[in-house]
Structure formats: structure tokens, C-alpha cells
Amino acid sequence: MPPKSKAAAAAAAAPVALEDLFSSLHRHIEAGDFSQSVKVADQVLKAAPGDEDAVRCKIVAHIKSDETDKALAAIRAAERLPIDLSYYKAYCYYRQNKLPEALELLRGQEETSAVLQLESQIFYRLGRMNDCMDCYEKLQKFKIDSMDLKINIIAALVAAGRASEVQATMKAQKVDLTTRALRDARSFELAYNSACTLIENKKYAEAKEQLDLAKRIGKEELMVEDYAEDEIEYELAPVSTQLAYVQQLQGQTQEAMGTYINMTKEKSADPSSRAVATTNLISLKGTKDAADNLRKLDRLIEKSTAPNQLQLVESLDFKLSPRQKEALYSARVLLLLHANKTEQAHELVSGLHGLFRDNVFPVLLQAAVHVREKKVQKAEEVLSKYAEKHPGNSEGVLLALAQIAANANHFQLAADSLAKIPDIQHMPATVATIVALKERLGDSTAAASVLDSAIQCWKNAMTEDNNKLDLFMREAATFKLSHGRDEEACLLYEELVKSHGSIEALAGLVTTSARTNLEKAEQYEKKLKPLPGLKGINVESLEKTSGARHVDVAQSINVEVTVDHKKKTKKRKRKPRYPKGFDPANPGPPPDPERWLPKRERSSYRPKRKDKRAQVRGAQGAVTREKHDTGTAATTSSSKAPASSSDPPKVSKSSRKKKSRS
């Protein structure tokens, strides 16, 4: 064949070979043979360098094979090509837990369904639940009918503290979360997440029912896949841990503790379930066995040579939710404080400040450490600074500050802290506490203004329930009456009478008006209903008497009780029973009345006389040297020899401790 015809034949054969390679690539991807898919993709790129489809297929095949490093290498190799691979690169960073880098790559990308779903997962891991829910709300316009997506939405709502919205959201998605519907749906994840929703809503009995269902469904699915019994237990450890948590909330502490102890054993549960079980077990045991509990927590925290750097073992940082990590670290700090290891507690709290930036719980733990060290002013300073810097997220901090200040007799700071919490500022318990603190300061005017402010707040509130307003008005009237503010108290009682016609308020109004306005008191006194049995009493003659005669109530009660007792306890007398052979007609000599006394205390006791023949005769104080030496030797030897049987046993303090310990 001529050379020209050979080149033409090769050019004609090239497209056919490329099509065959793509067909082979598609076949391997459908079969899930991703390693072979990568090889075929390389062949395609050799035949057609820079082919976009081959590059994407190669990257996806690496990701599906959990080879994110190789996927990133393929992305770097294709950087010069006019292909946007930002999404794949962000996904690889997400899989490697490089969440901030992944989020930065997605910034500015078109909000496709894939981008929004990846963003929602990144926000979930970062604990930014509100941003996560924003992504899911944007996904609604794509009308994606995916059960996995619905399961993720439930998880995000629960983690965001919006469990009360789950039912309505799932109803809009046409998902029934009743136990019967979940049984028909046969979805392990859906039943588990629905149970978590019920736990947040404090419906523990229903949650336990759905967790049992999730465990049953999961076990059946794993048995079909030929999992061994211990493997099934390992896979279902999250459900078992959550069931134990429900038992703990229901007060079944022994059952919960048994499950937690089983979960903390090696290879019996996945790392995240083991961490949760360990933290919950410590919360049940409290400060008991602090050293042992610290050892258990040490297994979950990776030791770092760098100061103030914390990391959990086995990638737990990304498997545990922010709330779970907070509970774990808080338990460790509190155990260190109970073990009087304040330096280690300080180091841990310093690391938490870097790990949880602008979060409230490291600040609370730092204040707890200062209080333990009796540095109350430092604790107050730390909490006050955070409250000033983050006014919108300082409710817990202000409550802690009020508690610490009140215990330190800093009543003004405690009252000011409570007054800065708008959500509870005018609630009965808060108002009562602030009023009590103001009274301790001797400032009754400020205490009265606190009550007035609460009354005005509930008057302006658009609620049909006026119970709190009535409560505050009654308490304010009582307070002002006791502090000499009779006219203000009278106005409050009069308002209560006009608005509700309360008999208690009317009685209070009459009593108060009698001090300020006698005519008004007489006017309202006529509205009081007469007490039954008082019509026949002449008040004028009653005033002329010398008063009521004193009656000894206690004596009269005792007499009545005694009489009634005698009446009730009249019983038929029984004949006495005598010992066998005893003749009551001839009882014989009476028994010795001192027979139960010790011999030394009886009147007939006579002590034995001492033998004086063995005594040493001679001048007073005279002792021979031989005798003195013998006595010294005996004393020295007796300190080593055991006591004789006639001596009383001697127990040292150390032996008592050993005895009580055994």
C-alpha cells in the first residue's frame, strides 16, 4: 500500500477507536469498576489530549474509589485546560475535612442543585445550621424528590434547634413520620432522624418506639447482606447509644449505664458512638471516679506537642456535632476541676478558645476555673467582657454572671446582669430575683420601679392571658403597702377590682384605703359580702367586754385525746400465762432485784484484797539498780512482742482505716 493510503486509513480508524474507548469507559462506570475506568480514561486522554469528558470521568472515578489525593492530582494536571473543575476540587477538600477551603472554592459558583447540596453539607459540619437551612430552602425550587435529601433536612432542623418545624416541613414534602408510615417506608435513616426529632420535642416514649423500629429495620437489612452478629452490633451502635440516652432522660439510669459501659469497650462501637457514650456515662456518674473518667476521656483526645492545640482522635472532630464536642470538652474541664488540676484545666480552656472562636461555652468554662480558684472578680470580668462584645448571644453568660455575683454579695452587678436579658427580663422569677436583690441593697424605690416596669410590659403585651399581669399587680401592691407606699398600693388594688372584681383585691383595697381615704374604704366595704354567722353579734357590746378569755388549747386537746384513747382502747382482760410448773399461790422467794446489774455495781460486791507480800520494803522511792535495769529491758522488748492474751487488744489509726476500707 502506498504511504498516502496508510495515513488516510489511520485517520479513518482513529474516531472508531475513540468511540470504542468511550463505550468501554461507560461500561466500567456502570459496573462500578472505577479502577478500570481510570485506565480507560487515561487511554482516551492519550488518544485525545485535553478531552473534557475523559478528564471529568477520571476525577469522578478517583473520588468514587476514595482516592481524593489522586483526584486532586488529576485536577492540578488539568489546570491549563479551559475546564472549570472547582466543584470537584471543593468536593475533594470536603472529603478531606478541609472545610473552609472547600467553602471558599464554592463562593461565586452558580447555585446549581449539586453546589447547594455540597454547601449544605459543609455548613452542617461547620455547625453553621442557619446557613445550612438556607441552602435547603433554596433547593426547594429544584423540586428534587430524594429521600436522602429529606433525611438531611430533618437532621439539619434538629441540629439547628428547630425540631418543632420538622413535622410541617416533612408534611410539605409529603413525608409521613408516624410510626406506622415509617414501618411501611422501611428506611432506617428516616426512622432514626424522626426519633431524634421526638427527643428534642421531649416525646421520649414515641422516640423509643421509633428507635426500636430503626434498630429492627437496620438489623434486617444487615442480615440480608450477611453481616455477622458483632458487625451488626457495631453498625447499629448509634441507635443503641441514642436508646440509652432516652432511657437516661426517662430516669432508667441503670439500664442506660449498662449500655454506655458496653459502648465504651474497644471494637464494640464506632468512634463517634463511643465518644458520646463515654460523655453520657460521665454525666451519669458525676464526680464519682473522677480519675477513671479522666482516663476514658484522654483516650478520645489526641496528644499534641504544640501548646493550646486540641484535636480528637480518629477524625472525631468531623464526626461529632458541635453540641457533642462541647459536652465532651466541658466534662473534661469539670473533672479536672474536681480533681484540683486547675493548671491542666487552664491549658484546656485556652485551647478551646482557639478551637471555638466567639463561642460561649469556653467563656463559661474559663469563669468556672476562676471561681474554683476563688478569683471571683476575674470570673466576673471575663463574663462581662464577653457580654459587652456579643450582646445578642450572651443570655447564658449573663445568667452565670448574675449567679456568681449574687454568691459573692455583689448584688448590684447581679441585678444589672439579669435586667440585661430581654427574653426573661419581665418574667415572674426574674422580677422576683431582681426585687430581692434591690431589697438587699436597701433600695426599695428601685425595687418598686422594677415591678412597675413589669406591669407596664404585660399591659402592652398582646396576649389574652392576663394571669401574669394580675400576679404582678397583686405582688406590687403588697410590696408597696409593706414599704409605706399606701396610695400607690391603693391605686393598684382599685385597678384590680375594676378590671377583675377579685374579692382578695377588694379586701386589700378596703384595708389600704382605710389608711389613706376613709370614705373610699367605707364605699368599697359595702361591696364585701357579709360573712355567715355574724348577723346576731352586737359589735358595740363586744367592744365593751374585757376581751376573750384565754383557753389552754394544748391542755384541752390532750384531755380530749386521752378520753377518746381510753374509750377506744377498752379491751377484755386476759389471764396471765405462767411458766410451766409455776404455782402463783406459792411463788417462793422474790428474785434478786440486782440480778441484771454487773457484779461490781451490786451492793453485795466486795473487792479482793491485794497480796502485799510481794511489795518491796525499804525507804520511800528506793529501787535497786538491778530492778531498774530489768524493767527497762522489759519495756523495750514489749514494744516489739505481741500483747498477751490478758491485755486488751490495741488498734492503731492505720488499722482502723484498713478495716473500714475492707
Side-chain angles (χ1 to χ4, degrees):
M1 185 180 290
K4 189 176 181 181
S5 61
K6 285 181 180 180
V16 176
L18 200 59
E19 287 179 7
D20 290 343
L21 287 172
F22 270 114
S23 299
S24 176
L25 180 60
H26 178 71
R27 188 168 58 253
H28 288 306
I29 290 172
E30 289 292 321
D33 190 356
F34 300 113
S35 59
Q36 196 63 32
S37 300
V38 172
K39 293 178 182 178
V40 177
D42 284 333
Q43 292 176 11
V44 173
L45 290 171
K46 191 175 182 180
D51 186 274
E52 185 174 345
D53 292 334
V55 170
R56 292 180 186 276
C57 286
K58 181 179 179 179
I59 293 168
V60 172
H62 279 310
I63 292 172
K64 291 283 188 180
S65 302
D66 292 330
E67 297 173 337
T68 52
D69 289 331
K70 291 182 179 180
L72 286 170
I75 291 169
R76 283 192 292 270
E79 281 180 351
R80 295 180 180 178
L81 299 174
I83 308 171
D84 185 13
L85 301 173
S86 302
Y87 172 78
Y88 299 103
K89 193 174 183 179
Y91 187 82
C92 290
Y93 282 153
Y94 163 74
R95 292 285 295 271
Q96 291 180 344
N97 293 317
K98 297 177 180 178
L99 304 180
E101 294 91 335
L103 201 58
E104 185 63 32
L105 283 167
L106 292 177
R107 188 170 295 166
Q109 291 277 320
E110 184 185 352
E111 290 187 341
T112 62
S113 62
V115 169
L116 286 170
Q117 288 188 67
L118 180 56
E119 275 187 339
S120 66
Q121 295 281 34
I122 294 169
F123 284 135
Y124 184 85
R125 283 198 183 180
L126 287 170
R128 294 167 57 178
M129 297 306 165
N130 291 329
D131 293 327
C132 177
M133 285 309 304
D134 288 341
C135 292
Y136 284 128
E137 286 170 7
K138 291 176 183 177
L139 278 167
Q140 299 302 315
K141 64 182 180 183
F142 293 97
K143 297 181 180 179
I144 303 170
D145 188 15
S146 166
M147 183 57 72
D148 289 339
L149 180 61
K150 293 167 185 174
I151 290 168
N152 288 347
I153 290 172
I154 295 174
L157 283 169
V158 172
R162 295 163 59 182
S164 57
E165 301 175 24
V166 169
Q167 284 289 344
T169 306
M170 288 297 104
K171 193 174 182 180
Q173 298 279 338
K174 297 180 180 179
V175 177
D176 190 354
L177 294 180
T178 59
T179 305
R180 181 179 294 178
L182 292 171
R183 195 180 292 116
D184 296 336
R186 308 293 300 168
S187 173
F188 161 75
E189 292 88 356
L190 185 62
Y192 178 81
N193 283 7
S194 176
C196 293
T197 304
L198 293 169
I199 292 171
E200 290 295 314
N201 292 329
K202 299 182 180 180
K203 298 179 179 179
Y204 303 129
E206 296 176 41
K208 187 176 183 300
E209 188 179 355
Q210 292 196 3
L211 284 171
D212 287 330
L213 174 63
K215 196 169 186 179
R216 188 163 61 251
I217 293 171
K219 192 171 184 178
E220 290 171 1
E221 290 177 358
L222 294 172
M223 287 176 71
V224 169
E225 297 178 16
D226 294 329
Y227 275 68
E229 192 66 32
D230 56 340
E231 292 174 330
I232 292 173
E233 185 180 349
Y234 182 90
E235 293 293 330
L236 297 178
V239 187
S240 301
T241 308
Q242 199 75 324
L243 271 168
Y245 177 61
V246 173
Q247 289 173 334
Q248 181 180 349
L249 294 173
Q250 289 180 318
Q252 301 171 12
T253 53
Q254 293 302 320
E255 295 86 345
M257 194 174 288
T259 305
Y260 290 147
I261 291 170
N262 186 41
M263 291 290 114
T264 53
K265 295 176 184 175
E266 291 291 333
K267 298 182 180 179
S268 63
D270 61 287
S272 56
S273 298
R274 193 162 63 247
V276 172
T278 301
T279 308
N280 289 355
L281 180 61
I282 290 169
S283 72
L284 270 180
K285 293 171 74 174
T287 56
K288 186 181 178 183
D289 301 330
D292 181 53
N293 291 334
L294 279 171
R295 282 194 294 271
K296 287 178 180 176
L297 284 177
D298 285 340
R299 297 175 198 156
L300 304 174
I301 299 174
E302 206 167 71
K303 293 181 180 178
S304 176
T305 54
N308 300 335
Q309 282 195 2
L310 297 173
Q311 188 176 353
L312 298 177
V313 298
E314 301 182 75
S315 300
L316 281 176
D317 278 314
F318 304 101
K319 292 178 181 177
L320 295 179
S321 69
R323 284 171 60 186
Q324 290 169 338
K325 285 187 281 187
E326 286 177 15
L328 190 151
Y329 284 121
S330 299
R332 178 163 174 75
V333 172
L334 295 176
L335 285 173
L336 287 170
L337 292 180
H338 281 289
N340 291 323
K341 298 180 179 181
T342 52
E343 289 185 7
Q344 293 184 35
H346 266 300
E347 291 176 6
L348 181 56
V349 170
S350 299
L352 292 175
H353 277 294
L355 197 62
F356 298 90
R357 295 186 183 279
D358 296 332
N359 203 312
V360 67
F361 97 98
V363 179
L364 294 172
L365 291 176
Q366 187 178 359
V369 174
H370 287 316
V371 171
R372 183 71 174 183
E373 293 176 327
K374 297 183 179 179
K375 298 177 181 177
V376 176
Q377 288 187 342
K378 261 195 170 182
E380 292 174 348
E381 184 182 344
V382 167
L383 295 173
S384 299
K385 282 183 178 178
Y386 183 89
E388 290 173 7
K389 191 177 178 181
H390 305 89
N393 187 33
S394 59
E395 183 174 327
V397 170
L398 288 170
L399 283 171
L401 179 58
Q403 180 69 53
I404 293 169
N407 288 339
N409 294 334
H410 301 160
F411 302 125
Q412 187 62 51
L413 179 59
D416 293 343
S417 301
L418 289 174
K420 289 178 183 176
I421 308 174
D423 291 343
I424 62 169
Q425 180 183 0
H426 298 298
M427 298 302 288
T430 311
V431 173
T433 306
I434 295 174
V435 169
L437 291 168
K438 295 290 185 183
E439 282 192 288
R440 293 290 292 272
L441 290 166
D443 193 352
S444 60
T445 305
S449 66
V450 170
L451 289 166
D452 291 339
S453 177
I455 290 169
Q456 193 60 42
C457 173
W458 286 103
K459 280 182 179 178
N460 297 334
M462 302 297 292
T463 56
E464 295 180 1
D465 185 13
N466 292 324
N467 290 334
K468 287 188 175 65
L469 177 60
D470 296 346
L471 172 66
F472 278 123
M473 291 180 73
R474 286 198 303 271
E475 293 299 324
T478 305
F479 177 85
K480 291 181 178 183
L481 191 62
S482 63
H483 286 79
R485 298 168 175 261
D486 298 339
E487 292 182 358
E488 295 178 28
C490 185
L491 290 173
L492 286 169
Y493 278 129
E494 192 170 6
E495 190 174 347
L496 277 170
V497 169
K498 288 178 179 178
S499 59
H500 298 288
S502 168
I503 297 174
E504 292 82 1
L506 183 59
L509 177 59
V510 172
T511 307
T512 312
S513 300
R515 300 183 183 184
T516 57
N517 191 337
L518 194 57
E519 292 181 3
K520 184 187 284 188
E522 290 175 350
Q523 178 187 349
Y524 281 106
E525 186 269 338
K526 294 175 183 178
K527 296 182 180 180
L528 287 172
K529 294 180 180 179
L531 292 174
L534 294 180
K535 290 183 179 179
I537 296 175
N538 190 339
V539 179
E540 292 181 0
S541 61
L542 187 63
E543 288 180 348
K544 293 177 182 178
T545 60
S546 58
R549 185 171 59 86
H550 176 72
V551 178
D552 192 350
V553 179
Q555 186 178 356
S556 62
I557 291 172
N558 289 338
V559 172
E560 290 176 5
V561 170
T562 309
V563 172
D564 292 344
H565 181 68
K566 286 181 180 178
K567 288 180 181 177
K568 288 180 181 178
T569 55
K570 263 191 174 182
K571 293 182 180 178
R572 182 170 56 86
K573 288 186 179 181
R574 294 184 179 180
K575 292 181 179 180
R577 296 179 66 181
Y578 299 110
K580 190 176 181 181
F582 178 76
D583 185 7
N586 299 308
D592 183 8
E594 296 182 349
R595 64 188 184 280
W596 304 116
L597 294 175
K599 286 186 178 181
R600 289 177 178 273
E601 297 179 14
R602 297 181 191 179
S603 57
S604 59
Y605 174 72
R606 296 288 182 273
K608 292 182 179 179
R609 295 181 63 184
K610 293 182 180 179
D611 188 4
K612 296 183 179 180
R613 289 175 295 179
Q615 292 180 359
V616 178
R617 303 290 181 184
Q620 188 175 0
V623 180
T624 62
R625 182 171 184 80
E626 183 183 354
K627 183 82 173 179
H628 177 72
D629 293 342
T630 308
T632 307
T635 307
T636 307
S637 62
S638 66
S639 63
K640 294 180 181 179
S644 63
S645 59
S646 62
D647 294 334
K650 298 177 182 178
V651 183
S652 67
K653 289 184 179 179
S654 60
S655 65
R656 284 198 191 100
K657 287 180 182 176
K658 289 178 183 176
K659 187 174 182 180
S660 64
R661 199 177 294 126
S662 63

